[in-house]
Amino acid sequence: MPGSTHHPTSIRKRIRYLTTTAFVLTAITALAILANGHVVHGALLMLGATLLLPGSIFGRRHRQHLSEAALASSTSAPPRRWRKAA
């Protein structure tokens, strides 16, 4: 059956999605704890969420990688030819 074949994703992509899930859950828990008046515990959880942010899909490196990939796929310019120095 062609529809039942498994498409394996890279381990890096899976770890990025797991980190994103951990980031979102930590941030939501931190906001709930802060809303209940537990400032210290909420602040510590927010600190933990900010430490998880760079590894998530919201991180700067992931956004740069996506923009470079989109730029490379959208531009179909011919390869540059190098000129010889005179």
Side-chain angles (χ1 to χ4, degrees):
M1 292 185 185
S4 64
T5 58
H6 178 60
H7 298 287
T9 57
S10 69
I11 189 74
R12 182 174 291 163
K13 196 172 196 177
R14 282 187 250 159
I15 289 174
R16 188 170 296 279
Y17 286 137
L18 286 173
T19 305
T20 301
T21 304
F23 163 71
V24 169
L25 290 175
T26 305
I28 289 171
T29 305
L31 291 174
I33 288 176
L34 282 171
N36 286 330
H38 300 284
V39 179
V40 175
H41 291 101
L44 287 173
L45 275 172
M46 275 300 208
L47 178 64
T50 57
L51 291 175
L52 289 169
L53 180 64
S56 70
I57 62 171
F58 304 116
R60 186 176 69 210
R61 279 191 288 164
H62 182 69
R63 282 185 275 143
Q64 286 176 350
H65 178 69
L66 284 179
S67 65
E68 288 172 2
L71 182 63
S73 66
S74 67
T75 59
S76 59
R80 288 178 46 182
R81 296 182 184 176
W82 297 97
R83 291 189 214 172
K84 292 183 179 179

